[in-house]
C-alpha cells in the first residue's frame, strides 16, 4: 500500500465522520498563531497566497485514492495551516465536485474572506466550516494572535459577503478559551455577529487535544452548553468523537504517522480510524514511539500521540 504525502486519513472527525484530509501547506503555515492550535505553533505566519504544494501532485493523489473506492464521508481541505493560503485550492474543490463521490468541506479560519478571489474559490465547497471566535480587533488578537495586517472588521465583512454569495452550508465554529472569550457577555457579542452571517449551524468547541501552548485550558461541557444557548440558531457543543469507522484495507504505519502529524489522537481514535482493537493500535503506537516516529503526551488524564 502506497502512503500519500498530501492526503491523510480518513480520520475520525467530530463533525465530518470519516474525513479524508487534504493538506495544502507545509507545517505550519497560517495567518494566525492560535495558542490552542492542535497542529502546533505557527512557524510561518503569513498572508502570502501561493501554490505552497503542487496542485498536480495533490490531484494525482486524489485520483489514486478515488480509484481505491475507500469509504469516506467528506474530503476536507485542512491540515498543517490555513488552506485558503494555497492559491489554487478552488481547483482542488472543483476536482472533488467533478468526481461526484464524496462531499467536500473547507475548514477555514475566515481571515482571507475579505478577498473576492478567496470567496469565489471557497464557494465551490459543499460545506464551509468557518471560524468566528472574537467580537473586535482586541479580542481577535487575544484569541488568535493574528498576522499584524489582519483587520477583524474586514474579516467580518468578508464573511457577510460570502453568505450573500454562497448557497452551500456554512458551519460556524466558535472556539471558546476560558479567561479569553468565555464570559457570557463576550459570547453574546460573538453571537450577535454570528447572526449577521446566517450560518446553517453553529458549533462551539474548546480544547480537547493537546494545544500549541500547554497552559491553554478547556471549558467544561456544562459551561459550553450554557454558552451554546446564547446563539441563534442554538449552538451545538462538539462532543468528543464516538462514531465507528470501518476501514477494510490493511494498516500501513505511514498512514497512522501521517494522521498523527496533523492531529494528535488517542489510541482509541487511531483504532476507530483504522478498525483496530485498542490493544493492536497501542502496540503499533508503541512500535512507532520506539522508532522515534511518534511521541506521547498527557492531556487531562488522556494519553495522546503526535507524529514526530
Ligand atoms: S487553529 Fe487553525 S487558524 Fe489557528 S493557528 Fe491552528 S491552523 Fe491556524
Amino acid at each position: 500500500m502506497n502512503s500519500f504525502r498530501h492526503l491523510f486519513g480518513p480520520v475520525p472527525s467530530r463533525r465530518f465522520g470519516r474525513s479524508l484530509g487534504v493538506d495544502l501547506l507545509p507545517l505550519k503555515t497560517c495567518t494566525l498563531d492560535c495558542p490552542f492550535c492542535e497542529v502546533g505553533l505557527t512557524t510561518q505566519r503569513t498572508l502570502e497566497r501561493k501554490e505552497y504544494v503542487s496542485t498536480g501532485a495533490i490531484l494525482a493523489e486524489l485520483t489514486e485514492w478515488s480509484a481505491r473506492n475507500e469509504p469516506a464521508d467528506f474530503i476536507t481541505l485542512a491540515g498543517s495551516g490555513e488552506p485558503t493560503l494555497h492559491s489554487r485550492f478552488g481547483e482542488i474543490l472543483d476536482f472533488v465536485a467533478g468526481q461526484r463521490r464524496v462531499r467536500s468541506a473547507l475548514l477555514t479560519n475566515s481571515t482571507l474572506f475579505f478577498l473576492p478571489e478567496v470567496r469565489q474559490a471557497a464557494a465551490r465547497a459543499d460545506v464551509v466550516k468557518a471560524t468566528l471566535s472574537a467580537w473586535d480587533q482586541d479580542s481577535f488578537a487575544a484569541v488568535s494572535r493574528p498576522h499584524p495586517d489582519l483587520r477583524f472588521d474586514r474579516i467580518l465583512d468578508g464573511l457577510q459577503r460570502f453568505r450573500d454569495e454562497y448557497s452551500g452550508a456554512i458551519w460556524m465554529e466558535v472556539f471558546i478559551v476560558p479567561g479569553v472569550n468565555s464570559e457570557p457577555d463576550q459570547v453574546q457579542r460573538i453571537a450577535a455577529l454570528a447572526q449577521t452571517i446566517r450560518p446553517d449551524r453553529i458549533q462551539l468547541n474548546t480544547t480537547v487535544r493537546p494545544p500549541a501552548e500547554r497552559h491553554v485550558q478547556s471549558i467544561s461541557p456544562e459551561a459550553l452548553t450554557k454558552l451554546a444557548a446564547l446563539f441563534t440558531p442554538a449552538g451545538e457543543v462538539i462532543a468528543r468523537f464516538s462514531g465507528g469507522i470501518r476501514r477494510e484495507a490493511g494498516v500501513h504505519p505511514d498512514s497512522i504517522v501521517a494522521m498523527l502529524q496533523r492531529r494528535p489522537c488517542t489510541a482509541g481514535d487511531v483504532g476507530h480510524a483504522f478498525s483496530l482493537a485498542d490493544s493492536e493500535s497501542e502496540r503499533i503506537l508503541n512500535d512507532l514511539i520506539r522508532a522515534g516516529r511518534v511521541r506521547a503526551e498527557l492531556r487531562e488524564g488522556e494519553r495522546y500521540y503526535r507524529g514526530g
Side-chain angles (χ1 to χ4, degrees), residues 102-159:
V102 181
R103 286 188 293 164
S104 65
L106 171 69
L107 276 52
T108 175
N109 63 22
S110 323
T111 50
L112 298 179
F113 274 48
F114 66 89
L115 296 170
E117 60 272 28
V118 167
R119 297 199 300 272
Q120 268 166 22
R124 301 170 194 171
D126 293 304
V127 174
V128 172
K129 193 216 81 179
T131 303
L132 180 73
S133 304
W135 58 92
D136 61 13
Q137 187 69 28
D138 286 348
S139 58
F140 179 45
V143 173
S144 298
R145 299 192 299 208
H147 185 282
D149 292 342
L150 284 172
R151 288 291 158 265
F152 181 77
D153 51 357
R154 291 189 77 196
I155 296 167
L156 184 65
D157 180 67
L159 279 169

Side-chain angles (χ1 to χ4, degrees), residues 28-34 36-40 42 79-82 109 144:
K28 150 84 191 312
T29 311
C30 194
T31 55
L32 307 178
D33 184 19
C34 305
F36 52 81
C37 183
E38 66 186 31
V39 185
T42 299
S80 303
E82 170 52 35
N109 63 22
S144 298

Side-chain angles (χ1 to χ4, degrees), residues 1-10 20-21 57-58 60-62 64-65 68 70 247 250-259 261-262 274 293:
M1 176 180 169
N2 292 333
S3 63
F4 294 116
R5 285 189 60 212
H6 308 297
L7 309 187
F8 57 101
L20 179 76
I58 293 171
E61 289 194 1
L62 280 170
E64 186 184 336
W65 181 83
R68 293 180 183 178
E70 287 181 35
R247 181 179 169 122
V251 178
H252 195 291
D254 287 351
S255 303
I256 295 178
V257 173
M259 179 169 96
Q261 279 170 338
R262 276 92 178 185
F274 296 97
R293 301 186 65 196

Side-chain angles (χ1 to χ4, degrees), residues 111-275:
T111 50
L112 298 179
F113 274 48
F114 66 89
L115 296 170
E117 60 272 28
V118 167
R119 297 199 300 272
Q120 268 166 22
R124 301 170 194 171
D126 293 304
V127 174
V128 172
K129 193 216 81 179
T131 303
L132 180 73
S133 304
W135 58 92
D136 61 13
Q137 187 69 28
D138 286 348
S139 58
F140 179 45
V143 173
S144 298
R145 299 192 299 208
H147 185 282
D149 292 342
L150 284 172
R151 288 291 158 265
F152 181 77
D153 51 357
R154 291 189 77 196
I155 296 167
L156 184 65
D157 180 67
L159 279 169
Q160 291 162 341
R161 285 173 191 261
F162 183 63
R163 173 71 293 175
D164 291 340
E165 296 160 1
Y166 176 56
S167 58
I170 298 179
W171 296 359
M172 181 133 287
E173 178 183 69
V174 182
F175 203 97
I176 300 291
V177 184
V180 180
N181 65 350
S182 58
E183 291 300 318
D185 63 310
Q186 296 171 330
V187 177
Q188 244 151 3
R189 295 178 73 178
I190 300 171
L193 297 181
Q195 221 172 333
T196 68
I197 298 156
R198 308 189 305 280
D200 298 85
R201 296 169 76 170
I202 295 175
Q203 302 180 320
L204 271 69
N205 203 355
T206 192
T207 309
V208 175
R209 297 164 196 282
E213 304 274 12
R214 283 179 175 270
H215 63 80
V216 176
Q217 300 294 310
S218 48
I219 190 166
S220 72
E222 297 75 25
L224 209 52
T225 301
K226 277 190 191 153
L227 295 176
L230 300 174
F231 288 83
T232 308
E236 308 158 47
V237 172
I238 300 302
R240 232 189 118 76
F241 180 84
S242 61
I245 298 281
R246 283 279 158 264
R247 181 179 169 122
E248 305 304 333
V251 178
H252 195 291
D254 287 351
S255 303
I256 295 178
V257 173
M259 179 169 96
L260 297 177
Q261 279 170 338
R262 276 92 178 185
R263 178 183 210 186
C265 292
T266 63
D269 292 335
V270 173
H272 277 304
F274 296 97
S275 280

